[in-house]
Amino acid sequence: MSSSTVSLYLDPQIRDWVLFPITLVMILVGILRHYVVILLQSSPEKQTREAIREQRALIRSQILRATSSNSPAPPQFYISISRHLSQAFAAGTYLKDGPPKGDAPPTPPNPMDPAAMDGMMAGMKTQMVMMVPQMVIMGWINFFFQGFVLIKLPFPLTLGFKSMLQRGIETPDMDVRWVSSLSWYFLNFFGLNGLYRLILGGDNSADSSRDMTASPFAGNAQPGAPQDFNKLFKAERDNLEFSEGLYTWIGTGVEERVLRNYGKLPPA
Amino acid sequence: MSLSTALERLAKYRTNNTRASQKTFEQGCLILKSGPTTKLGDEGWAFLEQLALASIDVGRLDISDECLKQLAEKFPRSPRVDVLTGIRMEATESPETVLQYYGELLEEDSANAAVWKRRISVIRRTGKLEKAVEELSLFLDTFYTDVEGWLELADIYSSCNQYTHALQALSHALLLAPQNPFTFLQFAETAYTSGDLPLALKMFLLVVEMGERGASPDAPPTGIQIRAWLGVKLCARRLVYSPHVSSASDTPVPKTIKLIDELATERVLAAYGGQKETGSKHVTDWLASR
């Protein structure tokens, strides 16, 4: 089939009654979804002082370690902070429920913990808001417009794109430039994010393709996910010791650096 | 002045954290009089908060009450408005009433950092330093990354001559904001006051080193640099004559102390030498004396 001869004529009615409606419906559903998600968002769970203290304890040692090879704190102060943290981590001072008692085996974190469940439910809710309308739209397209050819792309493509652009039409020798209705749906599904960003601003929740990759059960995204802080603290102690070995004070040799800068000492 | 430029300037104050209460108040009143703030959109609320604070600063409590009323209507039970109400109460009510108010807020949400900080500042103001230090330590134990808190703690300690403790608090502030020469300067001056000259010298030199990046060594020092060089000179002139001074932090006295002393003299003179004023004579006299 040569590309110069047009082998297929599309009814303009298809453009007006299929192509535009599908696009319009998808845009509107995305915008609607954005607002529904905003409505569904539950306010973040308030945390107690102890919980925050436990979560942020690791940051203390991370801040200390971050500059340890060029630390602004003089040696005496650095070592006292480092030792203090290390002891506190060993004794479990920062744990929310106080230091662990004796040799009692640590209870495994309960997956049905209400705090964790809340986070999971919020994820599920947004997932549902995404899934349901998309399923309905797909069903609608499949039911009414199955096998429709909607549009012809203005540029040539290789055969590899056939499965992407002509889903739902089983014709082995049709030009790849013709796009089927189902494929048009998928193109919109993945491609409308840029438009949403224009309409709704940067951090909108209208884009559904992004949620496809995120599972509601992925724990790391939720602040309430149970973590064994005791283990983390124990691991952090090694890091602290390691950084203590790397430690140098920036004040070491500062007088020589200043003198050199003013030409009082020969450059090193 | 037109409305939009006033708004723009106020927004700039907000982003730069400029206090400029009088100016904020004058321009804020202009905007407030020009019509309902709801027309300003979301920015209007931030503006109201800013104006409320500024008008408390300049003592126009009626304006701040008006702002607070609008904010409280729009955001009932917002912790931010609660704090603002507390600040407004601090202006007129007795510390006991305010403390009780903050206590109630904290009971509801024990992790509200802003309320907690206000409470500590009120406690300090009533003169109960011991209690303030205790609360502030507890606060910093939870919210370690609060640099202001560490500086405040250092300030309280310094005011009671507890310089070792102040230095410890400041070392945390240094770790949290290692890019800020003013914290280094404060550390150096506190160390100098506590009598730890070698440590103070090193810290003054660090301030000098931080400031001179990108500047030509021939240009006279300016701003914080002058103060740092004066500090270097103060330490160096004493260390030259008594190099075996004791240091609480075991910081060694640099071997090149003579050179540092000379350089500091040179730099201080460079800072003051250009002026034909009385100040320059005092400085030369001071440098010439022992």
Side-chain angles (χ1 to χ4, degrees), chain B residues 228-254:
Chain B
W229 275 118
L230 281 171
V232 172
K233 175 68 193 164
L234 267 175
C235 299
R237 76 147 94 199
R238 279 181 59 188
L239 288 175
V240 164
Y241 288 100
S242 48
H244 298 292
V245 80
S246 70
S247 160
S249 60
D250 289 331
T251 315
V253 179

Short mmCIF file of all heavy atoms in Angstrom, two decimals, chain B residues 228-254:
data_model
loop_
_atom_site.label_atom_id
_atom_site.label_comp_id
_atom_site.label_asym_id
_atom_site.label_seq_id
_atom_site.Cartn_x
_atom_site.Cartn_y
_atom_site.Cartn_z
N ALA B 228 35.22 39.93 63.56
CA ALA B 228 36.01 38.71 63.68
C ALA B 228 37.49 39.04 63.84
O ALA B 228 38.19 38.45 64.68
CB ALA B 228 35.79 37.82 62.47
N TRP B 229 37.99 40.00 63.05
CA TRP B 229 39.41 40.36 63.15
C TRP B 229 39.72 40.98 64.50
O TRP B 229 40.77 40.71 65.10
CB TRP B 229 39.81 41.33 62.03
CG TRP B 229 40.16 40.61 60.76
CD1 TRP B 229 39.53 40.72 59.56
CD2 TRP B 229 41.24 39.69 60.55
NE1 TRP B 229 40.12 39.91 58.63
CE2 TRP B 229 41.18 39.27 59.22
CE3 TRP B 229 42.22 39.16 61.38
CZ2 TRP B 229 42.07 38.36 58.67
CZ3 TRP B 229 43.12 38.25 60.84
CH2 TRP B 229 43.04 37.86 59.50
N LEU B 230 38.81 41.81 65.01
CA LEU B 230 39.01 42.36 66.35
C LEU B 230 39.08 41.24 67.38
O LEU B 230 39.92 41.26 68.30
CB LEU B 230 37.87 43.32 66.70
CG LEU B 230 37.96 44.72 66.09
CD1 LEU B 230 36.68 45.47 66.33
CD2 LEU B 230 39.13 45.48 66.70
N GLY B 231 38.24 40.25 67.20
CA GLY B 231 38.27 39.09 68.10
C GLY B 231 39.59 38.35 68.00
O GLY B 231 40.18 37.97 69.01
N VAL B 232 40.06 38.16 66.76
CA VAL B 232 41.35 37.48 66.56
C VAL B 232 42.44 38.25 67.28
O VAL B 232 43.28 37.69 68.00
CB VAL B 232 41.68 37.37 65.05
CG1 VAL B 232 43.10 36.85 64.86
CG2 VAL B 232 40.69 36.48 64.35
N LYS B 233 42.40 39.58 67.11
CA LYS B 233 43.42 40.42 67.73
C LYS B 233 43.37 40.30 69.25
O LYS B 233 44.40 40.15 69.92
CB LYS B 233 43.20 41.87 67.28
CG LYS B 233 44.10 42.89 67.93
CD LYS B 233 45.55 42.71 67.50
CE LYS B 233 46.47 43.54 68.40
NZ LYS B 233 47.87 43.12 68.27
N LEU B 234 42.16 40.34 69.81
CA LEU B 234 41.98 40.23 71.26
C LEU B 234 42.62 38.95 71.80
O LEU B 234 43.33 38.97 72.81
CB LEU B 234 40.48 40.21 71.59
CG LEU B 234 39.78 41.52 71.91
CD1 LEU B 234 38.30 41.26 72.07
CD2 LEU B 234 40.35 42.11 73.18
N CYS B 235 42.32 37.83 71.11
CA CYS B 235 42.85 36.55 71.56
C CYS B 235 44.35 36.51 71.35
O CYS B 235 45.11 36.10 72.24
CB CYS B 235 42.21 35.39 70.81
SG CYS B 235 40.46 35.28 71.02
N ALA B 236 44.78 36.92 70.16
CA ALA B 236 46.18 36.73 69.78
C ALA B 236 47.10 37.54 70.68
O ALA B 236 48.14 37.06 71.12
CB ALA B 236 46.38 37.13 68.32
N ARG B 237 46.71 38.76 70.99
CA ARG B 237 47.63 39.59 71.79
C ARG B 237 47.84 39.02 73.17
O ARG B 237 48.89 39.21 73.77
CB ARG B 237 47.13 41.02 71.84
CG ARG B 237 45.96 41.23 72.77
CD ARG B 237 46.04 42.60 73.39
NE ARG B 237 45.28 43.58 72.67
CZ ARG B 237 45.48 44.88 72.81
NH1 ARG B 237 46.46 45.31 73.55
NH2 ARG B 237 44.73 45.72 72.18
N ARG B 238 46.83 38.32 73.68
CA ARG B 238 47.04 37.70 75.00
C ARG B 238 47.81 36.39 74.86
O ARG B 238 48.60 36.04 75.72
CB ARG B 238 45.70 37.47 75.68
CG ARG B 238 45.21 38.75 76.33
CD ARG B 238 43.91 38.58 77.03
NE ARG B 238 43.97 37.56 78.08
CZ ARG B 238 42.88 37.14 78.72
NH1 ARG B 238 41.70 37.64 78.41
NH2 ARG B 238 42.97 36.24 79.67
N LEU B 239 47.55 35.68 73.79
CA LEU B 239 48.22 34.39 73.62
C LEU B 239 49.70 34.56 73.30
O LEU B 239 50.51 33.70 73.61
CB LEU B 239 47.53 33.57 72.52
CG LEU B 239 46.17 33.01 72.91
CD1 LEU B 239 45.51 32.32 71.74
CD2 LEU B 239 46.31 32.04 74.08
N VAL B 240 50.06 35.68 72.67
CA VAL B 240 51.47 35.91 72.35
C VAL B 240 52.28 35.99 73.63
O VAL B 240 53.39 35.44 73.72
CB VAL B 240 51.62 37.21 71.53
CG1 VAL B 240 53.07 37.68 71.52
CG2 VAL B 240 51.15 36.99 70.11
N TYR B 241 51.71 36.63 74.64
CA TYR B 241 52.47 36.82 75.87
C TYR B 241 52.35 35.63 76.82
O TYR B 241 53.25 35.40 77.63
CB TYR B 241 52.03 38.10 76.57
CG TYR B 241 52.51 39.31 75.81
CD1 TYR B 241 51.67 40.02 74.96
CD2 TYR B 241 53.85 39.70 75.92
CE1 TYR B 241 52.13 41.08 74.23
CE2 TYR B 241 54.31 40.77 75.18
CZ TYR B 241 53.45 41.47 74.35
OH TYR B 241 53.91 42.52 73.62
N SER B 242 51.26 34.93 76.76
CA SER B 242 51.14 33.76 77.64
C SER B 242 50.66 32.57 76.81
O SER B 242 49.49 32.24 76.82
CB SER B 242 50.17 34.05 78.78
OG SER B 242 49.00 34.62 78.26
N PRO B 243 51.59 31.95 76.07
CA PRO B 243 51.18 30.88 75.17
C PRO B 243 50.75 29.61 75.88
O PRO B 243 50.19 28.71 75.25
CB PRO B 243 52.43 30.64 74.31
CG PRO B 243 53.56 31.25 75.05
CD PRO B 243 53.02 32.24 76.02
N HIS B 244 50.98 29.52 77.17
CA HIS B 244 50.61 28.28 77.86
C HIS B 244 49.34 28.46 78.66
O HIS B 244 49.17 27.88 79.72
CB HIS B 244 51.75 27.82 78.76
CG HIS B 244 52.96 27.51 77.94
ND1 HIS B 244 53.02 26.45 77.06
CD2 HIS B 244 54.14 28.15 77.83
CE1 HIS B 244 54.19 26.44 76.46
NE2 HIS B 244 54.90 27.48 76.91
N VAL B 245 48.43 29.28 78.11
CA VAL B 245 47.17 29.50 78.79
C VAL B 245 46.35 28.20 78.75
O VAL B 245 46.46 27.41 77.81
CB VAL B 245 46.43 30.67 78.10
CG1 VAL B 245 45.74 30.21 76.84
CG2 VAL B 245 45.45 31.32 79.04
N SER B 246 45.58 27.99 79.81
CA SER B 246 44.83 26.73 79.87
C SER B 246 43.60 26.83 78.97
O SER B 246 42.99 27.89 78.85
CB SER B 246 44.41 26.45 81.31
OG SER B 246 43.42 27.38 81.68
N SER B 247 43.27 25.71 78.37
CA SER B 247 42.10 25.68 77.50
C SER B 247 41.19 24.56 77.95
O SER B 247 41.62 23.40 78.04
CB SER B 247 42.53 25.48 76.05
OG SER B 247 41.45 25.01 75.29
N ALA B 248 39.95 24.90 78.24
CA ALA B 248 39.02 23.89 78.73
C ALA B 248 38.78 22.82 77.68
O ALA B 248 38.44 21.69 78.01
CB ALA B 248 37.71 24.55 79.12
N SER B 249 38.93 23.17 76.41
CA SER B 249 38.66 22.19 75.37
C SER B 249 39.94 21.58 74.82
O SER B 249 39.91 20.90 73.79
CB SER B 249 37.88 22.86 74.24
OG SER B 249 38.64 23.92 73.71
N ASP B 250 41.09 21.83 75.50
CA ASP B 250 42.38 21.26 75.07
C ASP B 250 42.76 21.65 73.65
O ASP B 250 43.35 20.86 72.92
CB ASP B 250 42.37 19.73 75.18
CG ASP B 250 42.37 19.30 76.63
OD1 ASP B 250 42.92 20.07 77.45
OD2 ASP B 250 41.83 18.23 76.94
N THR B 251 42.35 22.84 73.23
CA THR B 251 42.73 23.29 71.90
C THR B 251 44.17 23.82 71.98
O THR B 251 44.45 24.65 72.84
CB THR B 251 41.81 24.41 71.42
OG1 THR B 251 40.47 24.04 71.72
CG2 THR B 251 41.96 24.66 69.94
N PRO B 252 45.04 23.35 71.12
CA PRO B 252 46.43 23.83 71.18
C PRO B 252 46.54 25.25 70.66
O PRO B 252 45.79 25.66 69.77
CB PRO B 252 47.18 22.84 70.29
CG PRO B 252 46.16 22.33 69.34
CD PRO B 252 44.84 22.35 70.07
N VAL B 253 47.49 26.00 71.23
CA VAL B 253 47.76 27.34 70.71
C VAL B 253 48.58 27.17 69.44
O VAL B 253 49.58 26.46 69.44
CB VAL B 253 48.54 28.17 71.74
CG1 VAL B 253 48.85 29.54 71.19
CG2 VAL B 253 47.76 28.26 73.03
N PRO B 254 48.17 27.81 68.34
CA PRO B 254 48.93 27.63 67.10
C PRO B 254 50.35 28.16 67.23
O PRO B 254 50.61 29.13 67.94
CB PRO B 254 48.13 28.42 66.07
CG PRO B 254 47.17 29.24 66.84
CD PRO B 254 46.96 28.60 68.15
#
